[in-house]
Every structure is written in C-alpha cells, then in structure tokens.
Amino acid sequence: MSADEQSPHDEITIPGAPSRVSPSREEPTHPVDPVPPAPDEQPAAAVSPTGRPSGEEEDRHQSGAWLTTAQGARVRDTDHSLKAGERGPVLLQDHHLREKVMHFDHERIPERVVHARGAGAHGTFTAYGTAAGVCRAAFLGEGEQTPVFVRFSTVVGSRGSADVVRDTRGFATKFYTGEGVFDLVGNNFPVFFIQDAIKFPDVVHAAKPHPDREIPQAQSAHDTFWDFVSLHTEAQHHTIWQMSDRAIPRSFRMMEGFGVHTFRLVNEAGETSLVKFHWKPRLGVHSVVWDEAQLINGADPDFHRRDLADAIEAGAYPEWELGIQVMPDSEDQTFEGIDLLDPTKIVPEEIVPVQPIGRMHLEANPANYFDETEQVAFHPGHLVPGIDVTDDPLLQGRLFSYLDTQISRLGAPNFPQIPVNRPHAPVNDMLRDGMHQSADHAGVAPYRPNSLDGGCPFTAGGDVSALIDVPQAVAGPKTREAAASFDDHFSQPRLFWRSLSAVEQDHAVAAYTFELGRCYEQAIRERQLEVLARIDTTLATRVAEGLGLPAPVGEEVETPFDTSPALSQVGGHWPVDGRVLGIVVDEETDLAQVERVRRATDEADMVPLVIAPTGGVLRSDDGTPIPVQRTLLTARSVEFDALLVLGAPRGSADPLAGTDARAMDPTAASSGAAVDPRLQLLVQEAFRHGKALAASGHGVEVLEVTGSAGAVGVTRGEDPVALARELIDLLETHRAWARFGDGRPDE
Ligand code: HDE
C-alpha cells in the first residue's frame, strides 16, 4: 500500500467539495471571470419582478474579472485603507473603505421568529392528473410540470443552531404555477400544538430559550415548554409526536410532510371537498436514535443540511409523492366524529386513504443560501384557483401572520419581487412604489375603474380562471370560545401511542423521561405525568419509573380507532439512495477488493467513504488510485449508515496524541492486543445505534474486540463485495431493529 500526496481524478464523485476546480497552492495572479454556479446549483429562475420570463439568468451574476465598487469602478487595493501617511489616521474620503464596511455592517436580516434554521432546494412537481375530479388548479392537470422551491427547517432553534435536535421540522413548498404562486407551508407532523392562532406567541415563548439566560437552545427539554404543554392539554398530541422518533429524522429526504389544516378544494363544476395534504418520501420515513442525535450535533451540526445538498450534488434526487385525503364538504365539517377544523386531529389513513396526485423531485441546490433560502417568503394565503382555506382558527391566524413577518424580515412590502419569490405568472397589480421597488410600472392610472390607461388592468370575468372565495355561509354571535368538539385532547395521542411498534414506544418513553428529567420543577413533572396517564397508564408508569416518581393514577380516554399502522415508521424495505457506507482499511487490506466494493456501492446509488489510519491516496497493485476520505481522527460513526470493516489498524501514536482522549497511548500498542481505540469506538457506536456491520479478513477481529460479532445485523465473510451487497440489503430496513427489541407493534 502506498500513499500519495496528490488527489487523483476519481470517477466516483464524493459530494461536498467546496469548489469544482482544485485550487493552486500559490495565490493566483491572472484575473478570471467570477465562478459560475456549480452543476448541482441553480439560482432562482430568470423571471422579471413582474413575472415575465426574462431569459437573462446570467445577467444577475456578477461579471468582469476585476474587483469593483458597488458602482462598478475598478479598485486597485482592498487591503489597505487610505491614510495620511503609512502610520497615519484613516481619511474620511475613503469611499471604498466606507462602502465595504457599511455593507458588511448590514449583511444580516432578522432571522425568522420561528423556523430560523433551514435548508432549501429547487425542484419540479409533476402532476398525475388524478386530482382533476376535486380540484380545478391547472398545475394539477395530468403531466403538468411546475417548478418548486422547498425549504426544510427546525422550529425552535436560532439560525446557527444544530440540525438534529428534537423538534418539529418545517416542510414548506413554493409552487411557481402558471396561475400564480401556491405555497404549501407544512410540517413533518400532521398536527399542531394549539387549536387557535391567538396562542401561537405563547407556545413559542414557552418553547424558546428562557428569557433570562437564553438557554436552552433549540430544544423542548426545559421547564417552560413542559409547563405550557401540561397546562394546555390540546398540545399533547403534537407533544407525543415530538417525543417520538419523528422528531429526530435521519434526513430531510426521509420525512413525511403534512399540510396539517384541512383545506377546501373546488373543481371545475364549482363543487367543493375538504382535504388534507400529505407528502410521502420515496425513501421511507426514518430517524436517528437519540444517542446518535446527540453525537451528531457535536460532530456535524450541519448534518441535515449537508445530507440534502450532498444528495442533490450526487444526483440522488430527493423525491416525494403528494397525496390528498378527500372528505365530503359537509355542513358540520366533521368526518367520522373528527372535527376537520381542529388542527390537533388527524384522519387515520386507514379510514381515508391518501390518494397520490403528483410527484416532486428536488434537483438543484441553491446557488446562494442568502438570496434564496434566507429570503424565500412563504405564506399559507398564497393560493391558486381551485384551492381555498377553511375556518380552522389556526389557519385563519396564519393568514395574517405570514405577510406581516416579511416586513420585519425583508424590510419592505416589495418582497415578492426578490428573485426567489417572483411568480412565474404575469403580475399586473396596482401596488406601487415602496422601498426596494424594482419593477418598471408603465401607465398613469393604478386604480380601478380608470379610463386613462384604457381601463387596464381588468378583473377576471366568470369565464376566466381566478381565485375563488367559496361562498361559505357564516353566522353566529361573536364569541371568544372554542367548539365543544375541540375538547377531546387525549383520544388521538392515545391512538398514536398504540400504533407505535415496541421499539418506537421504548424510544418515546426514553424521550419523555429525558425531557422531564431535564426540568427543574417537580410540580411540572408530576403534572405532565398526570396528563400522560390520561393517554396511557403504561406510558405514564414507565416514564414515572424513569423519573423515580410514583406512577400517577388517571383515567385513560378511549379512542374510537384502535391503531393506525400508517403512524409507525418501522417495517418495510426502502431504497438506499445517498446512504453512506464506511469502508475501514489498513495496510494489509486488498485494495483491489476495496475498489470493487466502492464500485458496487456507487452502483447502488450510495456513497462509499474509505476510512484509513491516515489520509492521502492509496494505490492498489494495478495502480488504481483510492482516495482516503476519512481517517481514524476525522471519522465518527454517526456519518455512516453501515460499516464494512476490511482491516484492523493497530493503535498508533496519533498526530495529536495527548490532545485527543481517544488517541491511543503509543506504549499500549506494543502490548499486542490493541485494535486502534478510535476504530473500536467507531464500531461500538455503530453497533449500539443498530447499524448494519460486516467484516472480512482482519476486520473480523474488530467485531470480536467490540463484542458485536454474531449479533443481529452483523455479518462476516470472505468476499467483501458480497458483504457490501448484504449490507445494502440490510440497510433497506434502515436499522437492525431486533438489536433494540423485536420491533413489532405492542400486543
Ligand atoms: Fe408558521 N410561521 N405559524 N406554522 N411556519 C412562520 O413565517 C405562524 C404554523 C411553518 O421555511 C413565520 O416567514 C403562526 C403551523 C413553516 O420560511 C411566521 C402560526 C404550521 C414555516 C409564522 C403558525 C407552520 C413557518 C416565521 C399559528 C404547519 C417556515 C417566519 C397560527 C402547518 C417557512 C415566516 C419557511 C414560519 C407564523 C403555525 C409551518 C411568524 C402565527 C400550524 C414550515 O409568520
């Protein structure tokens, strides 16, 4: 085995490199044009501020080889300010200095008050045409293709917080349809904490860090959160989802999305139906385990963001099917006893199946995070003809909030003119002027009716498709009350609990115990335990045991639905696109075999990462270069979905010995026994997180010293390629579930 310094050209692309051109070691001296977006990146579409195709995408990129001021004047020196003498004071006339620093001082905009941390991507939605019977929206017509921009987010943490925290995830999609923008601003849970928008500031204040010390960041494991949800018991359904594995997704690509509220669809004949929107990921719904999540947040706080961008760069395009549950638009807007206006309720899929209506692929990363992901402005009120809202009081409040918040964040009412927000449909409003206006408005009469501009713009007549406000009859005394049908807070959390498999229930018990265990106030713990007892006494008893508290006695609420298997995420076989296989090698590993394993992994649309004691490039006997992507110093188990151990490097003096507690004491190596302790840790962690493991040759020794040999989902053999294929098969079930328990639903 030999290690070269230089990176070779490797046909198997490992995503994530910051630049597509390898930089020179020396500072470049010849001017070149600005770097265009990478092949996997795409800026917002080239449409004018008034929605016309401009075809001038490149005009938005900076151009010219020379550094200029914002006014286009070329600059000779950007490293020294203009001074009165080399050691003298800086002169006020230095426009370049002042412009540079002024702009820098204002680079930030306020982060979103919720959902501050997110990642976005461009894609395409292709409709099946199956919704035509219930919805007249043109973009749902058979074969129609609509560009989309999707932003995934966590809710509670600040913009710089870690990705894999226990939290709800936002799943917001902007459809740039020919009839205007439609935003489906959903979450990865189908229910919400509160039933009325007026409590939204309260629940967010409770979930956000405590106002005095501003801790804890990005998590619900603290007193104010549990104080709120135990007092507002409508929050318990959302809370049990939050304590389930759904709150720690393996990837944005492996999350369901839900519109949460019931929407009203209108067909060509003007008939209406009540629907709930669902996004179903092609890769299945998968999560990390809690211990893994905690490690990830230290090892790679950008885990989800990186996973999304890398998958797109590698061509493993994330994909979801959009589906709807269709319920009749009855007078009471209730279905099988479920109030469809209550956003804390689901309609079980076993009762109303989700009908697929289209498919979405995400195919391009944003060319610039700030321009697109930070400035994208969603709004549940961005609707197109055929889609209308209902009287769900939570949705009604959202219709106010999302316009309002953009004024704080994007500074002016002209935010729809920011490229990522521009409609791909002709815009002819009578909104004028305002800060950051960038449209050219012709004409003199932005009012209606007018005669000076020939009466333009006209309102759409009955024969022209236009937004519909369904003439829903409303009547009633003004009142600050909720309907009695909103009072059932427990039957659906109970349905959720009973639908989980045994291993998922174990995880939920551990999550409640952890979170309540992090609270300081005994009264809050006890109150929440009493509330849990109304959901399920076994759940409450198990959590109480973990907290060392007496089991509460409560009256369980009966649920009309026994279980809903669709709520469990365990079981089934799923595609493995973009999953990461770590391949451990040492100086004795047969590198020709490693190369074959890499190819087989790449062919399975997975990412092979070679882990060796030190970095560089290895060469097989026939000279094939094999780049090392991780060393024992830089690898951490959480990055890999499965491990193939083809070597057992001995412990050696780490380059940073003494600064890394995991590095081995070099004197211990001579004692003979030791497989490098960092490799042992790697395998032990992967093992306890239920990941698939395989070993061949010396690697088998690693399984033995870590005590993982012979366990479920751990395999060994002579042929590394056959082992890699076995691992890929195992990965289709996501985890070796039996290592945690039997994974079957609780009897
Ligand atoms: Fe939001 N929400 N929300 N929300 N929400 C925002 O809008 C709000 C709710 C959701 O990636 C804000 O531009 C109120 C439910 C997502 O840019 C703000 C209420 C659901 C995103 C706001 C809710 C969501 C937001 C913050 C209670 C799931 C991120 C910045 C009535 C169906 C969108 C912004 C993105 C963002 C208000 C409840 C989803 C303040 C008042 C329910 C995915 O306008």
Side-chain angles (χ1 to χ4, degrees):
M1 173 165 103
S2 72
D4 298 348
E5 276 282 297
Q6 271 190 339
S7 272
H9 171 71
D10 185 21
E11 289 165 48
I12 299 175
T13 308
I14 304 297
S19 170
R20 278 61 189 170
V21 188
S22 298
S24 59
R25 199 174 292 209
E26 293 73 35
E27 185 177 339
T29 48
H30 297 293
V32 290
D33 282 336
V35 185
D40 62 288
E41 293 173 354
Q42 174 192 311
V47 282
S48 76
T50 53
R52 286 172 191 273
S54 73
E56 292 167 353
E57 200 162 278
E58 63 283 0
D59 283 0
R60 290 214 312 272
H61 304 152
Q62 297 207 320
S63 59
W66 308 102
L67 176 69
T68 71
T69 64
Q71 304 302 318
R74 288 184 190 155
V75 172
R76 277 197 193 285
D77 183 326
T78 191
D79 294 331
H80 302 91
S81 41
L82 192 65
K83 297 189 285 281
E86 280 170 10
R87 308 185 70 211
V90 173
L91 299 180
L92 190 60
Q93 77 177 70
D94 187 347
H95 175 72
H96 177 51
L97 165 69
R98 279 188 293 134
E99 183 189 65
K100 187 173 175 182
V101 175
M102 173 279 293
H103 197 279
F104 169 75
D105 289 346
H106 299 276
E107 274 177 8
R108 296 286 173 271
I109 59 173
E111 64 175 35
R112 289 168 175 81
V113 57
V114 283
H115 296 268
R117 180 164 180 85
H122 297 274
T124 307
F125 176 77
T126 307
Y128 298 153
T130 44
V134 289
C135 185
R136 60 186 278 194
F139 83 100
L140 293 177
E142 188 177 351
E144 284 295 323
Q145 294 209 316
T146 305
V148 295
F149 186 82
V150 177
R151 183 172 180 273
F152 303 105
S153 47
T154 50
V155 178
V156 177
S158 294
R159 192 179 146 188
S161 56
D163 276 346
V164 193
V165 293
R166 180 174 293 284
D167 197 359
T168 311
R169 299 299 184 290
F171 188 142
T173 309
K174 192 176 278 298
F175 297 80
Y176 302 92
T177 90
E179 295 182 308
V181 167
F182 168 51
D183 286 345
L184 184 54
V185 199
N187 280 343
N188 74 328
F189 300 171
V191 289
F192 202 66
F193 282 116
I194 47 170
Q195 294 167 318
D196 188 320
I198 200 167
K199 290 189 191 179
F200 191 62
D202 308 329
V203 66
V204 173
H205 291 165
K208 286 272 184 182
H210 291 206
D212 49 359
R213 302 185 183 188
E214 218 194 28
I215 48 179
Q217 179 62 228
Q219 54 191 288
S220 46
H222 58 110
D223 290 82
T224 53
F225 174 83
W226 287 98
D227 194 29
F228 184 94
V229 299
S230 58
L231 290 170
H232 296 259
T233 50
E234 74 206 58
Q236 290 294 324
H237 193 187
H238 191 146
T239 306
I240 197 166
W241 278 76
Q242 180 114 343
M243 294 306 112
S244 79
D245 291 344
R246 300 264 182 161
I248 40 173
R250 158 66 181 80
S251 157
F252 292 137
R253 303 178 290 132
M254 301 167 201
M255 296 188 324
E256 276 181 297
F258 301 90
V260 175
H261 315 280
T262 303
F263 288 81
R264 179 171 275 111
L265 298 188
V266 188
N267 68 10
E268 283 296 347
E271 295 156 344
T272 60
S273 331
L274 297 177
V275 304
K276 286 193 176 280
F277 287 105
H278 295 245
W279 288 111
K280 300 262 181 203
R282 187 175 75 88
L283 302 183
V285 184
H286 305 297
S287 298
V288 297
V289 293
W290 179 233
D291 179 55
E292 200 183 1
Q294 290 176 296
L295 293 174
I296 292 172
N297 288 336
D300 185 5
D302 306 301
F303 188 76
H304 283 154
R305 177 182 285 204
R306 187 189 308 284
D307 169 274
L308 179 68
D310 281 358
I312 292 173
E313 187 188 335
Y317 297 144
E319 186 180 324
W320 287 261
E321 199 160 54
L322 182 64
I324 46 176
Q325 288 179 294
V326 184
M327 281 78 61
D329 192 356
S330 58
E331 203 173 323
D332 62 1
Q333 298 166 80
T334 293
F335 185 78
E336 301 260 338
I338 302 166
D339 188 334
L340 296 176
L341 301 186
D342 176 356
T344 67
K345 301 289 188 310
I346 61 162
V347 177
E349 290 181 33
E350 292 73 17
I351 300 176
V352 181
V354 178
Q355 303 174 34
I357 63 170
R359 188 173 287 277
M360 174 172 77
H361 288 94
L362 298 182
E363 302 131 343
N365 286 310
N368 183 280
Y369 182 89
F370 182 87
D371 291 351
E372 296 153 75
T373 313
E374 194 58 11
Q375 295 198 102
V376 66
F378 293 96
H379 186 355
H382 292 164
L383 299 166
V384 290
I387 306 178
D388 201 2
V389 296
T390 56
D391 294 340
D392 171 344
L394 191 69
L395 177 55
Q396 292 282 319
R398 294 180 75 199
L399 297 174
F400 270 77
S401 179
Y402 289 69
L403 266 190
D404 197 29
T405 200
Q406 307 311 341
I407 307 297
S408 291
R409 282 191 16 84
L410 301 172
N414 289 316
F415 63 84
Q417 295 181 5
I418 294 171
V420 71
N421 295 324
R422 291 178 186 172
H424 297 193
V427 175
N428 196 0
D429 57 34
M430 295 190 300
L431 313 172
R432 289 294 181 271
D433 308 343
M435 259 187 227
H436 313 311
Q437 178 61 256
S438 57
D440 288 328
H441 291 117
V444 295
Y447 54 82
R448 271 197 46 81
N450 73 64
S451 60
L452 288 171
D453 282 343
C456 178
F458 280 72
T459 51
D463 52 342
V464 176
S465 180
L467 278 179
I468 292 167
D469 302 297
V470 176
Q472 188 74 15
V474 283
K478 290 180 190 169
T479 174
R480 286 192 188 271
E481 282 174 81
S485 52
F486 277 40
D487 286 348
D488 165 19
H489 300 167
F490 297 107
S491 69
Q492 291 220 347
R494 180 165 171 76
L495 167 69
F496 182 76
W497 165 254
R498 288 165 64 134
S499 304
L500 296 181
S501 64
V503 63
E504 290 169 300
Q505 288 190 340
D506 289 348
H507 289 174
V509 168
Y512 275 111
T513 314
F514 175 89
E515 297 244 331
L516 291 167
R518 300 288 298 188
C519 291
Y520 289 85
E521 300 298 342
Q522 186 79 346
I524 292 175
R525 287 193 195 122
E526 288 172 0
R527 191 195 306 144
Q528 175 60 30
L529 284 175
E530 278 164 22
V531 173
L532 276 187
R534 304 203 58 193
I535 298 174
D536 188 275
T537 39
T538 313
L539 167 62
T541 307
R542 290 179 65 189
V543 177
E545 268 169 21
L547 292 171
L549 291 173
V553 188
E555 203 177 309
E556 282 176 1
V557 172
E558 255 324 300
T559 161
F561 311 107
D562 193 31
T563 59
S564 167
L567 298 176
S568 166
Q569 57 186 88
V570 170
H573 288 251
W574 303 94
V576 293
D577 305 20
R579 298 283 190 136
V580 182
L581 176 68
I583 307 164
V584 179
V585 304
D586 66 11
E587 47 294 331
E588 288 175 41
T589 305
D590 177 349
L591 293 177
Q593 295 277 32
V594 173
E595 184 54 13
R596 281 194 280 279
V597 168
R598 274 167 30 95
R599 305 248 149 237
T601 314
D602 188 51
E603 276 158 25
D605 290 327
M606 287 176 45
V607 180
L609 294 185
V610 172
I611 308 163
T614 53
V617 177
L618 314 175
R619 286 197 187 271
S620 65
D621 290 345
D622 66 359
T624 309
I626 299 173
V628 174
Q629 279 91 20
R630 298 289 182 273
T631 66
L632 293 180
L633 185 68
T634 59
R636 193 76 204 236
S637 69
V638 290
E639 193 180 4
F640 310 103
D641 291 289
L643 282 179
L644 177 56
V645 189
L646 302 180
R650 306 285 101 184
S652 61
D654 190 275
L656 295 175
T659 61
D660 182 344
R662 290 181 295 141
M664 181 160 198
D665 173 0
T667 53
S670 57
S671 69
V675 169
D676 190 300
R678 295 165 300 179
L679 177 58
Q680 293 187 38
L681 182 69
L682 189 76
V683 171
Q684 280 158 354
E685 283 177 357
F687 179 75
R688 75 169 189 262
H689 299 150
K691 292 180 179 174
L693 294 169
S696 182
H698 290 303
V700 171
E701 188 190 338
V702 186
L703 300 185
E704 273 153 13
V705 295
T706 55
S708 44
V712 184
V714 182
T715 166
R716 62 166 85 176
E718 295 302 314
D719 177 2
V721 177
L723 284 176
R725 297 220 165 91
E726 268 185 65
L727 284 178
I728 293 168
D729 288 347
L730 277 167
L731 256 186
E732 290 180 0
T733 58
H734 182 56
R735 297 283 153 136
W737 289 112
R739 235 183 266 159
F740 298 106
D742 65 6
R744 280 182 291 109
D746 211 12
E747 296 307 319

